[in-house]
Amino acid sequence: MTATTTSTSTTTRLSSATVRGYALGSVGTGGFATLPGLVLAYYLTDTLGVAAAAATVVVFIPKVLDVVLNPLIGSWSDASAHRTGGRRRFLLVGAALLPIFFALTFAVPDGLGTAAGAVWVAVAFIASAMAFSFFQVPYIALPAELTDDYHERSRLMAWRVAVLGIAILLFGAGGPELRELGGGGRWGYLVMGVVAGIVLGLGMFAASRVAPSRPTRTAATGGGVSFAASLRVVRSSAPFRVLLTAFALQALATGTMLAGAQYVATYVLGDERSVSILFVALVGPAVAVMPLWSRSVRAWGKRRAYLLASTLFFAATVALLGLMTGGGWWVFAVVALAGVGYAGMQMLPMSMLPDVISDHERSESGTARAGVFSGVWTAVETVGLALGPALVLAILAVTGFVSSTGDEHAVQSATAVNGIILAFSAAPAILTALSVVALLRYRLAAEDAHAQNRSH
């Protein structure tokens, strides 16, 4: 039996095909997590003319459905894996439907008014989020089923996050460029939505091919598919609750920074297209430093490495408060430092999640379900990322930001500009500091075992 189909082994190294195939799924997950967070709020306020407060509702409320839907999809995928031998059908459904609904999100017709356009975006984005959930939930469950090895999971996630970094660069920097190549305005967003949607679907389809095609250990016990059952799983694992809390706060922190980047580029740095440079600065280091984070796991363990990554990101966001006194080349250097921490904040918790699932399975005599864990995880992550743009829009509304239509940007007051800077720096800094406090409480047998091995 090859490593692609071997469920768990502490001695078998995952095949290169499995690692590559799984990593390609990050083209879909990274793209969908990045591009809407970067441009959707801006599309609503500066192209459709939706007021910031109303745009907050459009961006955030559709994602609230994921709180209920994702745990249910996790349970359904567990039950399906038990019956059919795999989760592939869920992955394929998401890969097929997401490109369609994603393109529709940015396809508001020219003749549609502001209110109707906001409704159009909300409905299409709900459908996009649902399609994405059908892929994302079983995708996150796969590592716990591919290997039990502490370091192989780090290797798997290192490759995944390296591709994630490339995907974020591709969508974060390339998305706005596609918008401009399409002529800007509504037509530019439509071109961006269609092209980006196709690329998302291709990456997701590639990842579906590595899904195990035999009954999984974590699905073998069956069980209910109710939301209440999912919550019981969360409550039963203290390490999961701690890790989830830290990751959720950081999802909100990064979501806030992503959503604020376009506003900083336009109204603070004075160049709308400099958002692409900001994204290269933030995500570019991820690919380069990923081997260093992998080595740090072997030297220090995942928890200590995760604390270091979080601290680096926190320090960089605090330094960005210097925008209050003016911009310059230093902004991109500080954002690059944040990118080094960001890389670890992506890789390390995702490699810790399978450890938590396996630990729970051992303690509960095989009753854990990977799908339920990943469903709750992705639900919280989705809400955190959605709250980022919503938090930015709320800060803008409070500080007097004036929305625009067409290609002309309204002149902003000094208070509104300061609000943009606070949304981009202070808000992520506070959220990251809270995540570090949560992470200090993380304890797991796998971490203790790794520490003992280092001491011998």
Side-chain angles (χ1 to χ4, degrees):
M1 186 174 289
T2 67
T4 302
T5 58
T6 299
S7 76
T8 57
S9 171
T10 57
T11 57
T12 302
R13 185 175 173 84
L14 290 169
S15 71
S16 297
T18 297
V19 174
R20 285 196 304 268
Y22 185 77
L24 283 173
S26 285
V27 172
T29 61
F32 188 74
T34 300
L35 196 51
L38 173 65
V39 302
L40 186 56
Y42 194 67
Y43 174 58
L44 287 163
T45 60
D46 282 48
T47 296
L48 303 183
V50 179
T56 302
V57 176
V58 173
V59 169
F60 175 63
I61 293 299
K63 307 299 281 291
V64 174
L65 296 176
D66 288 339
V67 175
V68 175
L69 183 62
N70 284 15
L72 289 176
I73 290 176
S75 294
W76 294 340
S77 71
D78 282 338
S80 177
H82 180 55
R83 291 193 309 271
T84 68
R87 306 176 190 268
R88 188 169 297 167
R89 66 174 62 184
F90 282 79
L91 299 167
L92 289 173
V93 166
L97 294 180
L98 181 60
I100 299 171
F101 294 125
F102 188 80
L104 287 173
T105 300
F106 297 97
V108 177
D110 282 334
L112 221 54
T114 298
V119 172
W120 175 295
V121 172
V123 172
F125 197 43
I126 287 172
S128 298
M130 292 175 66
F132 180 67
S133 294
F134 270 87
F135 173 84
Q136 172 79 336
V137 173
Y139 178 69
I140 297 299
L142 290 182
E145 298 166 358
L146 292 172
T147 179
D148 263 349
D149 188 85
Y150 181 88
H151 292 295
E152 279 299 281
R153 287 170 176 165
S154 294
R155 173 177 168 243
L156 187 66
M157 289 304 155
W159 278 98
R160 182 201 163 189
V161 175
V163 174
L164 181 70
I166 295 171
I168 293 175
L169 283 174
L170 175 67
F171 287 95
E177 292 302 317
L178 279 173
R179 176 187 63 195
E180 299 306 316
L181 288 174
R186 298 194 185 202
W187 279 106
Y189 277 106
L190 177 59
V191 170
M192 181 199 71
V194 170
V195 175
I198 291 172
V199 177
L200 290 171
L202 290 174
M204 294 159 71
F205 176 75
S208 71
R209 297 175 62 85
V210 305
S213 57
R214 50 39 204 155
T216 63
R217 295 174 298 110
T218 56
T221 58
V225 297
S226 69
F227 185 48
S230 301
L231 292 179
R232 285 196 294 272
V233 170
V234 175
R235 287 196 300 267
S236 66
S237 174
F240 180 70
R241 293 196 305 271
V242 171
L243 186 62
L244 181 66
T245 299
F247 187 70
L249 288 166
Q250 292 181 358
L252 178 53
T254 55
T256 302
M257 196 171 188
L258 289 172
Q262 181 69 83
Y263 293 98
V264 167
T266 302
Y267 296 105
V268 180
L269 300 180
D271 181 5
E272 183 177 15
R273 299 181 72 171
S274 66
V275 66
S276 298
I277 305 176
L278 286 173
F279 259 81
V280 171
L282 178 64
V283 182
V287 178
V289 304
M290 198 52 61
L292 298 178
W293 286 120
S294 295
R295 283 196 283 272
S296 74
V297 170
R298 293 189 175 273
W300 305 325
K302 297 177 185 178
R303 176 178 173 272
R304 292 178 63 190
Y306 190 15
L307 284 169
L308 175 59
S310 303
T311 302
L312 285 174
F313 187 83
F314 168 76
T317 52
V318 170
L320 287 170
L321 283 169
L323 283 167
M324 291 284 189
T325 62
W329 65 267
W330 66 268
V331 175
F332 303 106
V334 173
V335 171
L337 175 63
V340 175
Y342 175 74
M345 287 163 52
Q346 291 295 302
M347 169 203 163
L348 294 161
M350 292 304 301
S351 67
M352 293 160 76
L353 178 60
D355 298 336
V356 169
I357 293 173
S358 296
D359 178 79
H360 182 84
E361 181 178 80
R362 285 189 294 269
S363 65
E364 298 295 326
S365 302
T367 59
R369 299 197 309 256
V372 169
F373 274 100
S374 64
V376 174
W377 180 274
T378 55
V380 172
E381 177 188 18
T382 299
V383 172
L385 290 172
L387 270 172
L391 179 57
V392 170
L393 288 169
I395 293 172
L396 296 188
V398 169
T399 55
F401 179 85
V402 179
S403 297
S404 310
T405 57
D407 295 327
E408 294 296 324
H409 300 294
V411 176
Q412 305 298 334
S413 67
T415 302
V417 172
N418 286 338
I420 291 170
I421 295 170
L422 291 174
F424 187 65
S425 58
I430 292 169
L431 292 164
T432 305
L434 292 173
S435 75
V436 170
V437 173
L439 188 57
L440 290 172
R441 298 170 49 233
Y442 180 79
R443 296 292 184 275
L444 194 72
E447 292 294 326
D448 294 337
H450 183 267
Q452 291 175 359
N453 290 336
R454 291 200 317 269
S455 64
H456 292 114

